Amino acid sequence: MNKIVVLNHKMNLLYSDIYDYIDKLNNIETKEDIIVAPSDLYLIEFTNTCNWGVASQNVYYEEKGGYTGEISTLQLKDIGVEYSIVGHSDRRKYFSETVEDINLKLKSLLDSNIIPILCFGEKDEDDDVDTVISELKEMLEGIDNISFIMFAYEPTYMIGGKKEVDVDKYSHMISDIKVYLTNNYHGNVNMLYGGNVNKDNVYDIINDDNIDGVMIGELSSNIDNVIEIFKNIDREVQ
C-alpha cells in the first residue's frame, strides 16, 4: 500500500512562486501519494495544474451565507478540491477553534464527499493515550463510519519544534489509537504522523508499519525541501 505525504503550506508562498512549485512537484517521481494544501488563494491554480491531490487548509461547516472570509464545502467541491484539513492545532491556537467546530466541519465535509484530514494529538508530553482518545471521541460525535476520514496524529508540542521524533513512541501511540478506532467505529483507519517531520527523519517515520504517511508543515512550502524529502523517502537502503 502506498504511503501518503501531505504538504501543508500554511500561510506561505507568493503567487509568483506557485507555478515553479507546481511544475517541480509534478515532476517528482515517487511511489507514494502526495496531497498538497496551499493557501486558499491558490487552490484553483493547484486543482487546475497540479497532478497530485489538493486539500484546503480549512473549511466552514455551513454551505453558504454571510460568513465573511470563510470558504464552504460547496465552493471547494466546485473547483475540484478533494481533501480538507480539519482541527489543526494552528486553527485551535490562533482562531479558538473548538472541538464542536471540528465535529461540525467533519460532518459537513463527509456530506459533501470531501475527505477530511483530521488533526489531533496531545498538547503536553505527559498526556497519555486515554487523553488523546477522549478528545478524538468528541470530535467524532455522531459519526459512525470513519472510512472516508484521514487521521493525522500530531502532538502539539512537536509541531514547529526542534525536538527529535521518537518514532517508536509515536508508533505505539498510533497503534493504540488505531485499535480503539477499529473496535468502536466502522471502516478502515489511515493514520499519518505530523510534527517536526524533515528530510533527516522522514524515511524512518514513513516506513514504520503502524504509520500510513506523514504531514509536513511550513517546510513543505519550499519545493527544494520537498524534493530532498522525497529523495530520502524513496532511497534504497544498502
Side-chain angles (χ1 to χ4, degrees):
M1 177 181 172
N2 294 357
K3 297 294 181 91
I4 301 162
V5 180
V6 177
L7 307 174
N8 178 19
H9 290 178
K10 304 195 177 187
M11 196 176 68
N12 293 290
L13 281 182
L14 299 177
Y15 187 81
S16 55
D17 299 325
I18 63 172
Y19 284 105
D20 179 65
Y21 186 101
I22 292 170
D23 181 62
K24 290 178 178 176
L25 188 66
N26 284 346
N27 282 289
I28 288 177
E29 295 184 7
T30 179
K31 64 182 185 300
E32 317 303 354
D33 295 324
I34 301 174
I35 300 170
V36 59
S39 297
D40 288 348
L41 185 63
Y42 311 140
L43 279 171
I44 196 165
E45 307 294 346
F46 275 81
T47 57
N48 283 342
T49 60
C50 182
N51 295 338
W52 302 100
V54 178
S56 68
Q57 295 180 21
N58 185 40
V59 69
Y60 196 60
Y61 49 78
E62 296 288 355
E63 289 189 341
K64 58 183 179 179
Y67 306 101
T68 300
E70 297 289 354
I71 185 170
S72 75
T73 55
L74 289 181
Q75 292 172 317
L76 294 177
K77 196 78 175 174
D78 198 45
I79 62 170
V81 173
E82 302 171 279
Y83 307 86
S84 183
I85 298 173
V86 181
H88 196 283
S89 62
D90 290 347
R91 297 283 318 169
R92 304 183 73 178
K93 178 180 179 180
Y94 297 117
F95 300 96
S96 302
E97 187 170 270
T98 67
V99 172
E100 291 76 19
D101 293 331
I102 294 166
N103 178 257
L104 289 170
K105 290 180 179 185
L106 277 176
K107 291 174 178 175
S108 180
L109 288 166
L110 292 171
D111 287 344
S112 300
N113 295 316
I114 297 173
I115 297 173
I117 303 171
L118 174 59
C119 300
F120 70 98
E122 65 267 37
K123 299 177 181 65
D124 301 306
E125 288 191 70
D126 294 333
D127 290 344
D128 59 17
V129 68
D130 292 334
T131 302
V132 177
I133 287 173
S134 177
E135 186 172 66
L136 187 57
K137 183 178 179 180
E138 291 183 59
M139 293 178 178
L140 295 171
E141 178 69 32
I143 297 171
D144 180 55
N145 192 322
I146 58 173
S147 294
F148 299 102
I149 298 175
M150 191 179 300
F151 294 87
Y153 166 71
E154 293 192 304
T156 302
Y157 59 87
M158 291 295 296
I159 296 174
K162 302 298 183 184
K163 293 186 178 183
E164 184 176 343
V165 177
D166 186 338
V167 180
D168 287 339
K169 173 184 176 181
Y170 298 129
S171 175
H172 283 104
M173 179 73 85
I174 285 172
S175 177
D176 290 344
I177 297 167
K178 279 186 170 183
V179 169
Y180 165 77
L181 291 172
T182 300
N183 289 340
N184 290 276
Y185 298 86
H186 298 297
N188 298 320
V189 181
N190 282 316
M191 195 168 298
L192 318 178
Y193 169 80
N196 199 25
V197 179
N198 56 53
K199 66 181 180 64
D200 297 320
N201 60 27
V202 69
Y203 182 87
D204 290 333
I205 297 170
I206 208 167
N207 282 287
D208 185 279
D209 289 340
N210 290 319
I211 300 174
D212 300 305
V214 292
M215 176 179 279
I216 305 170
E218 191 168 355
L219 194 69
S220 72
S221 63
N222 183 316
I223 190 61
D224 293 329
N225 289 336
V226 174
I227 291 169
E228 289 301 312
I229 284 168
F230 275 98
K231 283 180 181 177
N232 281 349
I233 287 175
D234 294 313
R235 67 184 171 89
E236 296 293 331
V237 178
Q238 301 299 321

